Amino acid sequence: MDIIVVKKSVTAKELRHIVRKLEGRGFKANISKGTERTVIGVIGDTSKITEDESNAFASMPGVEKIHRIIQPFRLASRDFKSQDSVIKIGKQAIGGKKIHIMAGPCAVENLPTLLKIGKEVKKAGATFIRGGAFKPRTSPYTFQGLGEEGLKYLAEVREKTGMPVVTEIMDPRDIDVLLKYTDVIQIGTRNMQNFRLLQEVGQYDIPIVLKRGLSATVKELLMAAEYIMAQGNDKVILCERGIRTFETATRNTLDLNAIPVLKSLSHLPVIVDPSHGAGHWRLVAPMSKAAIAAGADGLIIEVHTNPEEALSDGEQSLKPGKFTTLMKELKAVAKAVGREI
Ligand code: PEP
Ligand code: MN
């Protein structure tokens, strides 16, 4: 027994009684009040609950039915919440009709460049500024990011453009400094299964962009989301950013299947990163259009005013002109699938 659906007529007293009973058995209860129905997610090892016990719960006052979930993820599953989750970030909302485009450099390099990029992407229609201040680089000898200095620059761009900030966390010890400056925390592909990091960001009320691991299955991605949600933070945005396959023609293989698959298994918003997914700027526009057509709720795109000189990922970064053209094309694709940008 993993989910308890309660009756529309349930009283607060009945609800309290159910929760107390669950807690008495060593479980945590996560109550989700929807417009259609209210459900209680049972957190803990529910496999120990016998058929008899499950039936006893089913006959408690206020309970409509018990729903056993076969999926190992619970809070992230559509069974737990049938309606799409819409995550509010300032004046924006991700997961609704409007598609959001997060854009900016791979890494924050200096304030003038970031400001220039920020103003350009904002003008083109982006709604979030992205940029890494703590960079997970393959080589320890390459640019590692500006740290807190970079976060300050991002906050300054937010000040000047009104765009909320998305930036990556690599170490749980940096959480306090990140919270001072950012609106959305990104968990990068290399940290998707850094469980302590997931648990740490799960403690705070801040939206998380959770990127799919380099060789993680869809199920593993959802289990990673579960780690965050089990701590109480349900503001998780899933991000498909390409996976490792035998193919070497592109940096990664963007798994567009994952969009409708995730949407059917989970209520969480799904965004796509075509920049890392493809690894080359020429592929970013076609993959962006495909992602929107396939049902993505947003994109996260690398843009740089001078990609040749970029300190990281220049080869996959769009120049502002190309980004502006792409935004215009994306508006048409969004409209064709009943969305807007
Ligand atoms: C990034 O967004 O710059 C990044 C490092 O992404 P990923 O973790 O997907 O490689
Ligand atoms: Mn990058």
Side-chain angles (χ1 to χ4, degrees):
M1 178 197 64
D2 293 344
I3 282 170
I4 299 174
V5 181
V6 296
K7 290 185 176 144
K8 267 206 166 120
S9 59
V10 70
T11 65
K13 195 172 163 205
E14 285 166 346
L15 212 51
R16 267 200 311 276
H17 186 54
I18 301 165
V19 170
R20 235 180 270 132
K21 185 108 179 158
L22 286 170
E23 287 172 350
R25 279 285 280 115
F27 297 109
K28 274 210 284 188
N30 181 307
I31 301 176
S32 164
K33 288 198 169 106
T35 47
E36 304 266 308
R37 57 180 194 174
T38 296
V39 297
I40 305 173
V42 184
I43 303 169
D45 182 8
T46 54
S47 63
K48 285 185 287 201
I49 293 183
T50 63
E51 198 65 27
D52 282 350
E53 273 182 304
S54 175
N55 290 340
F57 269 106
S59 59
M60 284 178 73
V63 173
E64 187 169 302
K65 62 177 177 195
I66 305 290
H67 191 65
R68 294 201 86 138
I69 300 188
I70 343 100
Q71 302 290 5
F73 42 90
R74 297 163 199 201
L75 303 175
S77 82
R78 273 260 180 229
D79 293 317
F80 180 60
K81 188 165 176 274
S82 58
Q83 285 162 312
D84 287 345
S85 276
V86 178
I87 296 174
K88 295 219 170 78
I89 305 159
K91 282 185 248 151
Q92 316 290 5
I94 297 188
K97 187 169 183 197
K98 187 172 160 66
I99 289 168
H100 285 274
I101 311 296
M102 306 169 170
C106 176
V108 177
E109 299 171 358
N110 57 64
L111 183 58
T113 305
L114 188 68
L115 256 174
K116 212 157 128 197
I117 298 170
K119 284 181 180 160
E120 294 275 8
V121 298
K122 160 94 185 185
K123 201 165 69 186
T127 39
F128 287 78
I129 178 81
R130 65 140 289 151
F134 298 97
K135 293 304 300 175
R137 303 304 302 279
T138 302
S139 164
Y141 306 120
T142 53
F143 180 59
Q144 302 287 304
L146 298 178
E148 184 168 3
E149 198 59 26
L151 297 176
K152 285 185 183 157
Y153 298 163
L154 284 163
E156 185 144 350
V157 171
R158 172 180 53 206
E159 188 87 357
K160 296 243 156 66
T161 64
M163 288 185 291
V165 170
V166 185
T167 198
E168 180 165 353
I169 190 168
M170 296 213 311
D171 188 323
R173 288 169 295 189
D174 295 329
I175 187 86
D176 290 333
V177 64
L178 255 97
L179 289 170
K180 266 169 52 190
Y181 304 100
T182 196
D183 303 280
V184 180
I185 291 180
Q186 174 176 320
I187 301 272
T189 196
R190 294 156 190 85
N191 277 312
M192 189 205 81
Q193 284 187 316
N194 183 339
F195 300 117
R196 292 293 296 271
L197 186 59
L198 300 175
Q199 285 172 329
E200 182 69 23
V201 299
Q203 313 271 328
Y204 300 88
D205 182 30
I206 183 158
I208 309 293
V209 165
L210 177 63
K211 292 187 127 189
R212 181 177 181 180
L214 276 172
S215 43
T217 63
V218 160
K219 201 186 251 181
E220 285 163 341
L221 171 60
L222 289 168
M223 290 308 293
E226 196 73 19
Y227 260 91
I228 299 170
M229 298 175 86
Q231 296 296 317
N233 184 354
D234 59 2
K235 296 182 178 163
V236 180
I237 300 157
L238 305 168
C239 179
E240 162 60 38
R241 50 77 70 206
I243 49 174
R244 283 242 164 116
T245 68
F246 56 83
E247 182 56 74
T248 53
T250 48
R251 181 177 180 183
N252 291 294
T253 298
L254 188 66
D255 180 12
L256 291 173
N257 289 331
I259 305 164
V261 171
L262 285 167
K263 286 267 166 198
S264 72
L265 291 174
S266 175
H267 54 86
L268 296 171
V270 177
I271 66 167
V272 169
D273 174 348
S275 309
H276 293 87
H280 196 282
W281 68 267
R282 281 183 197 282
L283 304 173
V284 171
M287 291 299 97
S288 297
K289 292 177 216 170
I292 301 291
D297 297 300
L299 300 171
I300 182 161
I301 300 179
E302 287 183 342
V303 176
H304 201 289
T305 41
N306 188 1
E308 299 83 31
E309 303 287 318
L311 295 178
S312 69
D313 287 348
E315 64 286 3
Q316 65 193 33
S317 299
L318 289 180
K319 287 186 183 165
K322 289 261 183 325
F323 178 72
T324 306
T325 306
L326 172 60
M327 286 297 289
K328 288 189 187 129
E329 294 170 347
L330 290 178
K331 281 193 188 18
V333 180
K335 195 160 169 232
V337 291
R339 310 283 295 266
E340 62 190 38
I341 289 184

